[in-house]
Each structure stands twice: as C-alpha cells, then as structure tokens.
Amino acid sequence: MKTIRRFVLTVTIPVLLLGACAEDKKRNQQEYPEEEMKEEIVEAPSGIISLETADSLFVNYKNRRRDNIIAFEREFQEEGKPFVPTQFISFSISDVQTYLDFIAQETKDSGASPDSLRIYLGNNGEKIRGKKNERRNTVFILPAASVDGDYGGIFIDANGKAALIRKWIKEQQKEQGMGQKSKASFLPNLAPKPVLQGDGS
C-alpha cells in the first residue's frame, strides 16, 4: 500500500509541476503579448540626411574642391599619372564600435564624460604613410568633453585624467618658444619626439 501511495505521489508531483509551468507560460503570454516583448525600435538620429541631400553634398565637393585639389597636386605627380583626391574615408562598423568602447573604458575614471566626437580633416603629406596615401586627405577622430569648466577635444594624461588637447598644445608651444605663427595649426611643428610624451591618445 505504501509503495502504491509513493508511486502515485511521485507521478502526481511532476504532473502538477508541468501543469503549473504551462499555466505560467500561458499567463506570461497574456500579460506580455509578443509585440511588447520585441526589441525596442531605435529612432533615427536628428542628423540623418536624405539620399538627395547626400548626392548634392557629394556633387558640390566634386565641383568646388576636387578639381582644385587635382590642379594643385598636378605639379607634384609623376609624368602622365593623374592624382586621385580622396572622396570618402571608410571605417568598419566593428572598428567604430571598438573605438567607442575604448573611449568609454579609458575615460571611466578620468573625470570626464565624452559626449561627442570631433572629426578633423588632415593630409598625409609626402611619404608619411606610403606611396598609395601620399598627399591624400584623411580624417582623425577625437572625443570631446567638458574638463574643468571648459570644453574641447580631450586625451588622457599620464595621471589617467582627462585633459584638453589645446592646453597641451599651448604647453608644447611654450616649451619650444613658439609664438603666434603656430596658433592656427592643430599640433605645432615640433622636433620629433613621442606623441603626447607618455600621455594617452
């Protein structure tokens, strides 16, 4: 008799548990319909432009800049070899995400919270990055944030704290005895030495 009762209990408990699980699933489906359980939709950012606007910007650059660049670079080109100006710069989405993650990591304890990226235009100059990119335009990206009540592009200094790049540039100019002539440049034309001397990128 005890064996039969034990068997009935053993069979009944799993059946009850299965029934309870089925009830929970049914209740969850009623409380949280499938539509509500889908991923949240990301709204388009305010800076999104139309295809027509993008095409207009591209054509404007071609008409107002590209031909001037070609004319300027012609005298530096090998005979019969045309100069092809940069018209786009590509970053993989993976690299962009890694860069954003890196910024978050490096600024975590820096005393600053970057809220924008500055994309600076640059030029590779001669033989700076190999023949293929010689004299071609490029870009470099800098996180920007508020630091000590001021705002601008930042780097992480040797103490692990966020600092404004323009203040570093002023210090370098003072050390080199430079005056107003380098004021317009992003980085002054300094004697070769390690970039930011131990400070972060």
Side-chain angles (χ1 to χ4, degrees):
M1 189 73 170
K2 285 183 181 176
T3 308
I4 293 171
R5 192 175 296 154
R6 198 173 292 147
F7 173 78
V8 170
L9 285 173
T10 307
V11 170
T12 307
I13 290 172
V15 169
L16 288 173
L17 288 174
L18 285 172
C21 289
E23 276 301 313
D24 285 347
K25 188 175 179 183
K26 190 175 179 182
R27 193 177 303 119
N28 282 340
Q29 286 175 344
Q30 289 170 349
E31 290 175 4
Y32 307 101
E34 198 173 311
E35 296 80 36
E36 292 178 12
M37 295 176 81
K38 286 182 182 174
E39 287 185 33
E40 185 180 332
I41 293 174
V42 178
E43 296 295 326
S46 59
I48 291 288
I49 61 174
S50 68
L51 289 174
E52 290 80 7
T53 302
D55 182 57
S56 173
L57 294 172
F58 186 83
V59 169
N60 286 345
Y61 177 82
K62 179 182 169 185
N63 293 340
R64 300 170 63 90
R65 296 290 183 269
R66 191 187 67 169
D67 291 345
N68 292 334
I69 292 169
I70 291 170
F72 177 82
E73 294 290 353
R74 189 172 290 131
E75 65 180 280
F76 304 104
Q77 280 300 102
E78 294 174 20
E79 191 66 37
K81 190 173 180 184
F83 181 82
V84 181
T86 303
Q87 292 198 199
F88 69 89
I89 294 166
S90 178
F91 299 98
S92 75
I93 291 173
S94 172
D95 283 348
V96 171
Q97 188 58 60
T98 300
Y99 181 60
L100 294 174
D101 292 343
F102 180 75
I103 291 171
Q105 169 191 287
E106 296 299 297
T107 59
K108 186 177 178 184
D109 300 315
S110 70
S113 299
D115 58 8
S116 68
L117 295 175
R118 292 183 172 184
I119 301 176
Y120 284 88
L121 303 177
N123 187 276
N124 286 322
E126 295 202 25
K127 298 177 183 169
I128 191 169
R129 298 177 76 185
K131 198 80 175 166
K132 182 182 174 187
N133 295 312
E134 210 173 86
R135 304 193 314 275
R136 300 281 300 269
N137 290 338
T138 187
V139 298
F140 54 98
I141 303 172
L142 195 61
S146 290
V147 178
D148 299 327
D150 204 352
Y151 189 87
I154 64 166
F155 70 101
I156 305 303
D157 67 18
N159 300 315
K161 296 299 175 190
L164 293 175
I165 292 241
R166 69 170 166 268
K167 289 188 177 178
W168 176 84
I169 292 171
K170 284 180 184 175
E171 288 171 15
Q172 298 303 306
Q173 287 173 340
K174 281 181 191 173
E175 284 180 24
Q176 298 294 316
M178 293 184 168
Q180 295 294 319
K181 66 177 184 177
S182 295
K183 199 170 183 179
S185 67
F186 179 78
L187 292 173
N189 185 17
L190 305 174
K193 56 184 175 180
V195 177
L196 302 184
Q197 297 190 96
D199 294 323
S201 171

